[in-house]
């Protein structure tokens, strides 16, 4: 039997309309998986649940809602999508990047070659790299995105604890990190081979449009040269799922 999965998100206020647009693009692309959304109003095309009030800072609400909300649902896997996401086509196999791993976070950029004085969201990259190594990452530290990630139901507690522990360790050290860094850390601790979770291994599944290539219109599915803000080297992508943030990607 094929594993069961659903897409899920948290969409309140203005993000509710973006989530509805996300679902419309999914249906138009032939995607008919369920969308389970914690929200403050009924959303067209979504299974809705009451979102509880929490501090949106650092994006940690994603972890809290994962543990409190999604853990109660009867699915094998949960695929998080930021509300400002669109589908260009039906993904061939959303779960393929997992391999034998209980979590997939798209690892976008290696922190090893990044300049010592570079910063990412208010934190020196060198400090973030050092913290990951200090907390047990044995491979070359990578930074991923929290706009799209997958977790197995049975790993929810472990992912939650690892990510929050990393965030608190960073805070104690006077370093500011967000949920993307925390999830990237959990990914690299739980997976024996983080290489298979690199974005360049799955250019046809998902990508975050950091540069705003597709921000003015629904993408038509054409490939483009993707770049991470910390790495000028281009990667040719043609993703079925695209995150289109209004501001900088998380």
């Amino acid at each position: 039997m094929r594993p069961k999965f659903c897409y899920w998100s948290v969409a309140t206020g203005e993000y509710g309309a973006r989530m509805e647009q996300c679902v419309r693009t999914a249906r138009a692309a032939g995607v008919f998986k369920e969308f389970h959304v914690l929200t403050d109003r009924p959303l067209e095309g979504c299974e809705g649940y009451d979102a509880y009030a929490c501090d949106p800072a650092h994006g940690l609400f994603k972890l809290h809602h994962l543990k409190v909300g999604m853990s109660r649902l009867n699915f094998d896997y949960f695929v998080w999508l930021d509300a400002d996401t669109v589908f260009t086509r039906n993904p061939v196999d959303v779960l393929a990047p997992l391999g034998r791993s209980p979590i997939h976070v798209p690892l976008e950029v290696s922190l090893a070659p990044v300049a010592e004085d570079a910063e990412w969201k208010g934190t020196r990259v060198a400090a973030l790299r050092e913290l990951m190594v200090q907390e047990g990452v044995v491979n070359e530290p990578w930074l991923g995105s929290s706009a799209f990630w997958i977790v197995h139901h049975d790993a929810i507690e472990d992912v939650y604890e690892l990510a929050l522990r990393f965030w608190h360790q960073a805070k104690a050290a006077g370093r500011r990190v967000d949920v993307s860094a925390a999830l990237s850390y959990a990914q690299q601790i739980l997976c024996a081979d983080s290489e298979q979770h690199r974005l360049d291994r799955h250019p046809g599944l998902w990508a975050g449009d950091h540069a705003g290539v597709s921000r003015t219109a629904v993408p038509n599915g054409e490939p483009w040269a993707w770049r991470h803000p910390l790495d000028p080297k281009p990667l040719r992508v043609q993703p079925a799922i695209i995150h289109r943030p209004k501001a900088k990607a998380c």
Side-chain angles (χ1 to χ4, degrees):
M1 182 181 295
R2 299 183 66 180
K4 293 174 55 181
F5 74 90
C6 70
Y7 294 101
W8 77 284
S9 191
V10 177
T12 58
E14 64 178 302
Y15 288 94
R18 298 180 201 175
M19 193 72 241
E20 290 177 320
Q21 169 68 0
C22 173
V23 176
R24 283 194 292 269
T25 64
R27 300 304 184 231
V31 177
F32 296 102
K33 289 293 183 180
E34 296 176 22
F35 283 74
H36 291 258
V37 183
L38 295 111
T39 182
D40 54 2
R41 66 176 177 86
L43 298 178
E44 182 181 355
C46 302
E47 298 291 332
Y49 310 87
D50 290 335
Y52 65 90
C54 60
D55 186 353
H58 313 297
L60 297 181
F61 68 90
K62 298 179 183 182
L63 296 173
H64 298 318
H65 282 91
L66 172 70
K67 181 176 180 178
V68 174
M70 293 303 102
S71 61
R72 300 180 181 182
L73 299 184
N74 187 29
F75 290 93
D76 299 315
Y77 293 93
F78 299 92
V79 182
W80 168 275
L81 296 174
D82 271 15
D84 38 8
T85 294
V86 294
F87 286 74
T88 64
R89 64 183 182 278
N90 193 347
V92 174
D93 187 354
V94 172
L95 303 182
L98 284 158
R100 297 179 180 275
S101 170
I103 180 176
H104 170 66
V105 177
L107 299 178
E108 298 179 307
V109 61
S110 169
L111 299 180
V114 178
E116 291 291 312
D117 59 349
E119 287 196 0
W120 181 248
K121 300 189 177 180
T123 296
R124 286 194 312 114
V125 170
L128 179 57
R129 181 172 60 231
E130 291 165 7
L131 183 63
M132 284 194 176
V133 173
Q134 174 187 310
E135 294 303 313
V137 173
V138 295
N139 56 265
E140 183 178 289
W142 281 69
L143 179 64
S145 173
S146 67
F148 170 87
W149 45 284
I150 308 169
V151 63
H152 191 283
H153 185 282
D154 294 347
I156 287 176
E157 189 69 29
D158 288 338
V159 169
Y160 180 86
E161 295 296 335
L162 281 168
L164 263 294
R165 186 185 75 186
F166 182 76
W167 186 86
H168 283 294
Q169 289 293 96
K171 183 179 180 182
R175 298 165 184 170
R176 185 177 67 179
V177 301
D178 65 1
V179 71
S180 293
L183 280 168
S184 300
Y185 168 77
Q187 159 83 81
Q188 292 169 91
I189 292 296
L190 289 173
C191 302
D193 181 14
S194 292
E195 288 288 306
Q196 69 173 342
H197 299 280
R198 287 169 34 175
L199 180 68
D200 59 3
R201 299 294 179 90
H202 313 280
L205 176 57
W206 174 92
D209 186 5
H210 299 284
V213 174
S214 63
R215 198 170 294 156
T216 59
V218 174
N220 59 11
E222 294 297 317
W224 85 86
W226 177 92
R227 291 178 175 84
H228 191 278
L230 292 174
D231 184 359
K233 184 174 63 178
L235 169 66
R236 187 175 176 83
V237 298
Q238 193 173 9
I241 307 171
I242 303 176
H243 177 225
R244 301 191 302 165
K246 287 185 65 177
K248 292 182 179 179
C250 62

